[in-house]
Structure formats: C-alpha cells, structure tokens
Amino acid sequence: MTSSEWDAAIEVLRTATDVTLACHVNPDGDALGSLLGLSRALANRGARTYPTWGTTPLPDVSNFGFLPGLDTLVQPGEVPVTPVFIALDCGAADRLGDIEPLARKAEVLVNIDHHPGNEGFGTINVVHPDASSTAELVMRLLRDAGLEIDQVMATLLYTGIVTDTGRFSYVNTSPNTLRLAADLLETGVSAPDLARELFESAPFGYLKLVGRVLDRAELAADERFVHSWITQQDLKDTDVALAETDRLVDLIRGTAAVDVAALFKEQMDGRWRVSLRSKTRGIADFARARGGGGHELAAGFTARDRDSTVEELKAALRNPSA
Ligand code: 5GP
Ligand code: MN
C-alpha cells in the first residue's frame, strides 16, 4: 500500500457521486460498522450510496439490530452498476459473495481492509494489517478526507473497533486504537450502552447454547488445543440464530490449558464453518490452505468433515513448522 493509494481513496471519498459499498458475507461488527459508517458519511455529503453484502436475500442481523442505518441496506440484486465500488473488511475478493461480479464491473474498486493475506484485488488498495479493524481505517480516511464523523457514525465505527479488538484485549489493541476509540466517544457515544447492546443482549436460549458448547468442549492437552461444535439442531432447540454465535469461540479458548481453539458450526448444507482462534501460534495458513483466511490469530474456513479436520489441526499443531 502506497501513500498515493491512500490519497486516491480520499479523493474518491470526497468526489464520488454514486457508490456501492459491500462488506464480507456473514458480517461481524467491524464489517457492518465500517459499511454503514462509511455509507452514512458519503450520503451526508450528498452521494447516492448502496450499502449491501453478497448474500441474496440479505438475512436478518438480529444481534446487530440496534445499529443505526440498517434500514438503508439495499438487496444485492437491486444494486445498480456504479462507477465506484468500495469493499470493506474483505480479506479476499471471494468474501464479497454474490456481489463480487458487480464489484468487478466498477471502474474504481476500492479495497479497504486490514487482513494480512489481502492480495490487493482493488484498483485502489487501502490494506493496513496494522490497523485494529477496518472501522479504524474508515475513521482515519474520513478524517483525512475532511468529512465529519457524527455521533451515529461514531457509534458504528466504535462497534467495529470494540468487536474486532475483543473489547480492547487482543494483540491488535494499540495505544493509537484507544486514542481513536476515545475520539469516537467524544462525540457522545455511550460505551456502556453500546457494550450492553453488543455483549449482553443475546436471547435467553443463548445461555443454553453456551452450556452445550462448553459441555462438549474436548481438550487435546498435548497440543494445547480445544474444540467444540454447534449443530443446526442446537440452534433450533435453543432458538438462537447462527449469526449470534460469533463470540462462542472466545469462551472455549479462555483457559490456561489452551493455545488454539476451534469452534465448528454446522451450516444449512451440512458443511462446517470453522472459527479458529490462537493465543500465539499463527493459524491463518491452515485456514488459507483450506480455502479460508483471516488473521494470524483469528481465522476461518469451511470443512466437510469435523473429525478429520480436528485430526488435521492436531497434526499441524504437533508439527512445529506448521
Ligand atoms: P470468524 O471465525 O470470526 O468467522 O473469522 C475470523 C477471521 O477470519 C475474520 O477476520 C474473518 O474475516 C476471517 N475469515 C473467516 N472466514 C474466512 C474465509 O472463508 N475466507 C477469508 N479470506 N477470511 C475468513
Ligand atoms: Mn475486521
């Protein structure tokens, strides 16, 4: 990433009149916060914006239902071809899902992201693996573009930062992250109100689901590896949406016995979405080799079989070079 790409992105944010914005499929707090925050900033200065992501139709994001601007989302099938397309928090182009072909049709494709494996699929690439979150990058770009960050945008961007840093606890939390977050709070955002919405508003059935996940957790003590799983039946029984299970992997990694944690989540099609978390050892290569990706200490991929994937993970952890 060169400073000229940063400047080019700023020029686009200042001048574009019709902009499609998309985050990755199965959006998390950073994806949604960056998407809706940047869309609002551009709309406030008079641009027509089409915020979306590549799942047709867009599912409910019930766990983020309080976020301002969800009513501005456009179905991916209803997005026109715009000269400018901005991809947010997408470590690879395929994370755009159904909307990737539309992104390819734009004259200018701005790729704003903080995943280290990002190969620069945009015509303008603002890829900063040092940034805590894509929301942090959006905030810095908006500032440099001279666009106002109002309290609503601050709510959205703070959501991105606080979720991607695990409430300011992961390795991506730097003094600068806290300074930026503090500036967002200066606009009047209430950190405790937002924390309650984000971390204490799950439906009651969530507790029962947590119980199942914890009860099933299996430790491979020698490999310092733990794994557990959630089936479609669990989601039915507890009345919890798959989108609400993002933070469960943090629970199983939370003991001294463990360095690496994997949570397997059964999809509608029977395959498993695997969320990997590590305290020290890089696990992104393992995910990338299976068609996924992510950060060194937080990555994901899709697997056909749970047992064999667990064995492969254990074997990789026994091999010091893996
Ligand atoms: P999660 O476990 O929360 O779904 O994902 C952890 C991290 O890995 C996030 O940064 C997410 O964007 C990334 N990630 C998850 N799944 C994939 C995938 O299939 N491909 C890529 N490139 N990144 C992924
Ligand atoms: Mn992110």
Side-chain angles (χ1 to χ4, degrees):
M1 194 348 273
T2 61
S3 64
S4 68
E5 295 204 71
W6 184 270
D7 293 343
I10 286 168
E11 187 59 20
V12 170
L13 299 190
R14 281 202 187 118
T15 57
T17 55
D18 292 84
V19 186
T20 302
L21 303 99
C23 62
H24 60 76
V25 293
N26 307 317
D28 55 16
D30 188 30
L32 284 174
S34 303
L35 174 75
L36 297 172
L38 182 55
S39 177
R40 180 177 169 95
L42 299 179
N44 276 5
R45 70 142 181 75
R48 272 180 296 271
T49 64
Y50 306 92
T52 191
W53 68 90
T55 301
T56 315
L58 293 180
D60 271 356
V61 279
S62 43
N63 46 331
F64 291 108
F66 66 94
L67 282 181
L70 288 173
D71 55 325
T72 65
L73 288 171
V74 181
Q75 291 294 334
E78 289 162 18
V79 173
V81 178
T82 54
V84 174
F85 190 111
I86 304 180
L88 293 150
D89 205 37
C90 294
D94 65 2
R95 300 282 285 156
L96 285 163
D98 296 348
I99 204 152
E100 187 185 345
L102 203 66
R104 301 285 185 195
K105 286 190 188 135
E107 285 158 40
V108 178
L109 172 55
V110 189
N111 166 21
I112 304 177
D113 183 44
H114 69 130
H115 291 90
N118 193 308
E119 281 166 3
F121 58 83
T123 58
I124 299 173
N125 297 288
V126 177
V127 177
H128 275 245
D130 293 347
S132 66
S133 52
T134 299
E136 172 182 328
L137 288 174
V138 168
M139 179 180 176
R140 285 162 45 194
L141 285 165
L142 288 176
R143 280 186 165 176
D144 284 2
L147 296 173
E148 191 211 344
I149 298 176
D150 65 15
Q151 189 180 332
V152 171
M153 284 172 226
T155 300
L156 292 160
L157 298 176
Y158 187 90
T159 294
I161 296 176
V162 76
T163 54
D164 255 30
T165 59
R167 309 196 206 185
F168 306 109
S169 66
Y170 301 152
V171 286
N172 56 351
T173 307
S174 68
N176 197 44
T177 313
L178 292 169
R179 280 186 205 106
L180 292 169
D183 288 349
L184 293 172
L185 294 186
E186 294 285 2
T187 66
V189 174
S190 162
D193 286 356
L194 209 44
R196 199 174 319 114
E197 293 284 10
L198 286 166
F199 307 117
E200 294 177 354
S201 296
F204 187 74
Y206 185 74
L207 294 188
K208 304 294 177 189
L209 185 64
V210 168
R212 290 185 185 197
V213 168
L214 296 186
D215 195 42
R216 272 173 203 156
E218 278 179 27
L219 176 67
D222 290 346
E223 290 85 1
R224 298 182 46 74
F225 170 71
V226 68
H227 82 278
S228 187
W229 64 93
I230 297 169
T231 63
Q232 286 288 321
Q233 190 63 46
D234 293 329
L235 298 174
K236 246 182 242 138
D237 293 348
T238 57
D239 199 19
V240 174
L242 192 61
E244 279 174 307
T245 62
D246 276 0
R247 288 182 298 116
L248 282 174
V249 65
D250 296 329
L251 290 178
I252 59 169
R253 77 172 205 166
T255 69
V258 162
D259 187 19
V260 175
L263 183 65
F264 289 73
K265 303 173 195 174
E266 189 184 20
Q267 310 294 291
M268 299 278 249
D269 66 4
R271 295 189 303 164
W272 298 90
R273 275 295 303 168
V274 187
S275 280
L276 277 183
R277 297 293 185 272
S278 171
K279 293 177 184 167
T280 57
R281 298 189 54 174
I283 33 98
D285 281 348
F286 189 94
R288 265 196 291 274
R290 284 153 187 81
H295 307 276
E296 279 313 318
L297 303 182
F301 62 97
T302 303
R304 287 207 174 280
D305 183 69
R306 196 176 73 224
D307 288 341
S308 63
T309 307
V310 167
E311 289 314 312
E312 286 170 28
L313 273 160
K314 284 200 250 177
L317 292 170
R318 280 191 295 269
N319 175 358
S321 66

